[in-house]
Amino acid sequence: MSTVSRLAGRTVLWIWLLVGLLPVVFMVSTSLRPEEIAKRLPPEWSFTPTLEHYGAVLAGAAGTSVGYDRLLLNSVVVTAGATLLTIALAVPAAYALSMRHFRARGALSSWILSTYLFPPIVAVIPVFIAAGYLGLIDTYAVLIVPYAAFNLPIAVWILRSSIVAIPVEITEAAMVDGASTWTVLRRIVWPLLVPAVATVSILSAILAWNEFLFALSLTRAGAKTGPVGIQEFTGMFGTQWGNLTAAATVITAPILVLTLIMRRRIVAGLTFGAVK
Amino acid sequence: MSTQELTRAAAPATPLPRRAGRHRRSGPWLLMAPTLVVLLLMTVFPALYLLRASFRDENLLGGSSEWVGFDNYGFVLTDPSALRSLLLTLAFVVVSVALQLGLGMALAMPLATRTRANTIGTLLLLVPFAITPAVSGLIFRELLNPNYGWVNHYLGISTEWLSQPTTAWIALLTLEVWAWTPFVALILIAGRQAVPPEPLEAAAIDGASRWQSFRYIVLPQLMPFVAIAVVLRTIQAFKTFDSFKILTNGGPGEATEIINLGIHRVALQSFRIGAASAFAVLLLIVLSLLVPAMLRVIKRYTQPEES
């Protein structure tokens, strides 16, 4: 009885896992179908795969008001910028918050952590108005700075935890051997911090790459990113399934690969290090 | 601990001990300053701005802006559609997090055993979680298309999913559960793997059923992980925007207009900043109730040992 129920349980589990893949199967297979048969029902499974949609999409020839190649470039620039800014801000802050003689560190840590609750929708209106006054609408900066801000709670928290976890003995030993503060930071603290910096970079990059609300509200053409631009493939004149799914696959692929390889780190990071 | 020793040991090496002392006090603040500025700019400044705007009849199109007291709040709290969107949001958060927790638990327990099949299973499980939300919204919309979508074809039905409130909500909840259950499951898998095997073996020898073992041995040790999953998912669920915007855009009518969509529509499509601000302030008040729970859970389970 127990074996039967366990077997049944496992069957349900695997069915669930496979059904969960259906949207991805739809996305990838449709991107490879010739446009004439893309919408045929039942779905055509014996077809010669074509890369024409990928070609059209990556050449910027298809569908969107801004070429898709440009959208991807914007996504890359914004993602790289937001990730670098997050690291540049979070490492010194995390180091300061690990200093014992820094009285305000407890209160500041709590406050930084609590900003994780702050909903981006609340920030988007004032940022929209301020960016309008400053002439920053549709620039990279107006996306990079908010993305970094939304990454900071997790980034600071993870980095601080790993700085605090560095054993005193190691830094003391270096001091005894005559190393300067700077040498200790560069040669001992930083190398031990690299894994945490990698985690923070991955999380920041994923968030910036996927972000939709700010990109939708604050860009028009020049800085529009992939996830926003891709919506234009579903126009009022019917959806171009081939181009839409090819573009979707291109956006999704890097994040998917990264998440599958780095899954432990990503979950550890997203839970502020509570789950290892 | 390391840094205290580090600065103490470093101080004698500095030529001017007094200046070093002052440096010790301002140093951390200097290191913190850029982060604090960016965070203040993106959280406190917007909150204060909206608080001010919520008492004025600010409108991005008309130039007038004057003090109107609690009119905007009056509007938001008496307008049935505004109030409903707040309730819809709360209901959505509760239902979607509960579904993710239940399903996540059901998936995590069998997947927690370390076998090669389970490694593959965990990878498959993670795929939906890794899809860009704006993309999965679009993909779901195409799959649910009444004319050529796969869902109706394979189910042999002709439902107009996004044209009726009930089915639109089913679609949205399915999308959210599909995307986020893997995250919950992964947290619970880690929790299950941390349970030591000895008590379970002892219980099995004593004739405990699988349910009893789970209920009295596994579940109590899983509670911290459940708490982390629930707190994080609740916070994230309150921020949900992409999937709703793309899949239903609040429709049909306003049946799925959660508060984030409402704020976005009133502010950035109707440009009624005052009303949207009152809306946003209410959301902030609701969310701030979650702060203590979040601080308690995260600090308790992540704080590195430090006095």
Side-chain angles (χ1 to χ4, degrees):
Chain A
M1 177 58 206
S2 174
T3 335
V4 174
S5 71
R6 190 168 297 200
L7 210 65
R10 293 210 70 89
T11 315
V12 171
L13 169 74
W14 283 95
I15 290 173
W16 167 279
L17 292 177
L18 292 173
V19 168
L21 291 183
L22 259 183
V24 182
V25 171
F26 164 75
M27 176 174 81
V28 177
S29 70
T30 306
S31 74
L32 297 170
R33 281 196 183 87
E35 192 70 35
E36 319 80 83
I37 62 158
K39 292 184 182 170
R40 196 174 287 171
L41 284 176
E44 187 73 63
W45 287 107
S46 56
F47 60 90
T48 326
T50 169
L51 289 178
E52 59 177 306
H53 305 302
Y54 288 91
V57 158
L58 290 177
T64 45
S65 59
V66 180
Y68 197 71
D69 51 342
R70 177 60 198 264
L71 296 175
L72 280 179
L73 174 73
N74 290 344
S75 275
V76 170
V77 172
V78 168
T79 300
T83 306
L84 289 175
L85 183 59
T86 304
I87 301 294
L89 292 171
V91 171
Y95 185 65
L97 289 175
S98 73
M99 293 178 176
R100 276 236 172 151
H101 63 269
F102 184 30
R103 292 262 177 80
R105 73 182 196 287
L108 278 176
S109 301
S110 294
W111 180 69
I112 290 177
L113 181 58
S114 68
T115 61
Y116 182 67
L117 270 157
F118 197 84
I121 188 77
V122 173
V124 81
I125 304 167
V127 170
F128 178 80
I129 294 168
Y133 278 122
L134 298 171
L136 286 173
I137 297 279
D138 207 18
T139 60
Y140 293 139
V142 85
L143 297 183
I144 288 174
V145 175
Y147 292 177
F150 298 140
N151 284 328
L152 278 172
I154 287 184
V156 170
W157 200 256
I158 294 174
L159 289 167
R160 194 189 73 108
S161 301
S162 54
I163 294 173
V164 172
I166 295 173
V168 179
E169 292 77 15
I170 300 181
T171 43
E172 271 177 1
M175 297 290 191
V176 170
D177 290 344
S180 70
T181 308
W182 174 244
T183 311
V184 170
L185 281 180
R186 200 168 58 89
R187 291 282 184 78
I188 296 173
V189 176
W190 176 254
L192 290 171
L193 213 53
V194 165
V197 170
T199 303
V200 169
S201 306
I202 294 166
L203 290 175
S204 307
I206 292 178
L207 180 131
W209 184 262
N210 284 349
E211 208 280 339
F212 182 71
L213 170 63
F214 270 69
L216 176 74
S217 311
L218 299 171
T219 64
R220 299 285 172 268
K224 193 189 276 185
T225 58
V228 177
I230 193 175
Q231 311 299 325
E232 292 176 14
F233 286 114
T234 65
M236 31 184 83
F237 307 109
T239 301
Q240 313 161 22
W241 264 22
N243 290 337
L244 169 74
T245 50
T249 309
V250 171
I251 294 188
T252 306
I255 303 294
L256 182 61
V257 172
L258 204 63
T259 306
L260 293 184
I261 297 174
M262 302 283 178
R263 58 189 183 281
R264 277 177 203 284
R265 261 190 199 183
I266 287 172
V267 172
L270 285 175
T271 56
F272 294 80
V275 173
K276 302 220 164 55
Chain B
M1 53 184 99
S2 61
T3 46
Q4 185 198 22
E5 301 298 332
L6 193 148
T7 25
R8 190 189 292 154
T14 335
L16 291 167
R18 261 192 212 156
R19 277 190 59 201
R22 206 187 312 148
H23 184 74
R24 255 174 73 147
R25 238 170 298 139
S26 60
W29 284 106
L30 285 176
L31 292 170
M32 289 293 308
T35 286
L36 291 180
V37 168
V38 167
L39 274 179
L40 287 171
L41 221 63
M42 288 298 148
T43 62
V44 174
F45 159 71
L48 292 177
Y49 178 91
L50 291 180
L51 193 61
R52 176 177 175 276
S54 70
F55 290 108
R56 310 176 74 86
D57 70 341
E58 215 125 321
N59 191 315
L60 275 192
L61 299 179
S64 76
S65 164
E66 57 184 47
W67 179 264
V68 295
F70 283 91
D71 280 11
N72 288 319
Y73 291 95
F75 163 72
V76 167
L77 288 173
T78 54
D79 179 39
S81 77
L83 201 59
R84 198 186 51 182
S85 84
L86 190 60
L87 294 176
L88 278 181
T89 308
L90 294 174
F92 161 71
V93 170
V94 171
V95 172
S96 73
V97 173
L99 286 173
Q100 289 157 21
L101 184 65
L103 284 166
M105 188 71 89
L107 290 168
M109 292 307 107
L111 280 174
T113 330
R114 295 174 204 266
T115 63
R116 193 167 298 166
N118 277 347
T119 309
I120 297 168
T122 310
L123 286 177
L124 295 182
L125 173 76
L126 259 167
V127 169
F129 173 63
I131 309 291
T132 302
V135 166
S136 34
L138 268 177
I139 296 296
F140 266 61
R141 209 169 73 193
E142 297 306 319
L143 282 170
L144 292 170
N145 186 298
N147 299 321
Y148 39 79
W150 287 15
V151 171
N152 278 0
H153 171 74
Y154 282 120
L155 293 180
I157 52 178
S158 54
T159 307
E160 302 232 355
W161 288 90
L162 305 178
S163 318
Q164 302 147 25
T166 315
T167 45
W169 270 111
I170 292 175
L172 284 167
L173 282 170
T174 308
L175 172 54
E176 287 294 309
V177 167
W178 174 80
W180 285 102
T181 299
F183 176 63
V184 175
L186 233 61
I187 292 174
L188 297 176
I189 287 174
R192 177 64 183 82
Q193 288 176 344
V195 175
E198 293 82 8
L200 286 167
E201 284 159 13
I205 292 169
D206 291 345
S209 70
R210 276 175 69 203
W211 168 250
Q212 284 171 324
S213 298
F214 174 76
R215 171 68 186 80
Y216 295 104
I217 300 173
V218 176
L219 197 57
Q221 302 196 52
L222 272 183
M223 285 324 280
F225 295 86
V226 171
I228 291 163
V230 168
V231 164
L232 288 177
R233 278 304 303 139
T234 304
I235 293 168
Q236 292 157 354
F238 269 108
K239 298 182 188 173
T240 308
F241 178 81
D242 314 8
S243 54
F244 280 72
K245 176 75 184 163
I246 294 166
L247 197 53
T248 66
N249 198 10
E254 291 174 6
T256 60
E257 192 177 81
I258 53 171
I259 195 163
N260 288 344
L261 285 185
I263 294 173
H264 193 263
R265 180 173 58 82
V266 175
L268 298 181
Q269 284 163 30
S270 315
F271 297 115
R272 290 167 53 206
I273 301 297
S277 300
F279 232 155
V281 170
L282 287 180
L283 176 63
L284 277 180
I285 291 171
V286 170
L287 274 171
S288 59
L289 299 177
L290 277 169
V291 170
M294 184 205 178
L295 291 182
R296 202 166 50 235
V297 165
I298 302 228
K299 283 188 157 177
R300 178 150 167 214
Y301 300 115
T302 66
Q303 197 82 322
E305 64 283 15
E306 191 191 12
S307 65

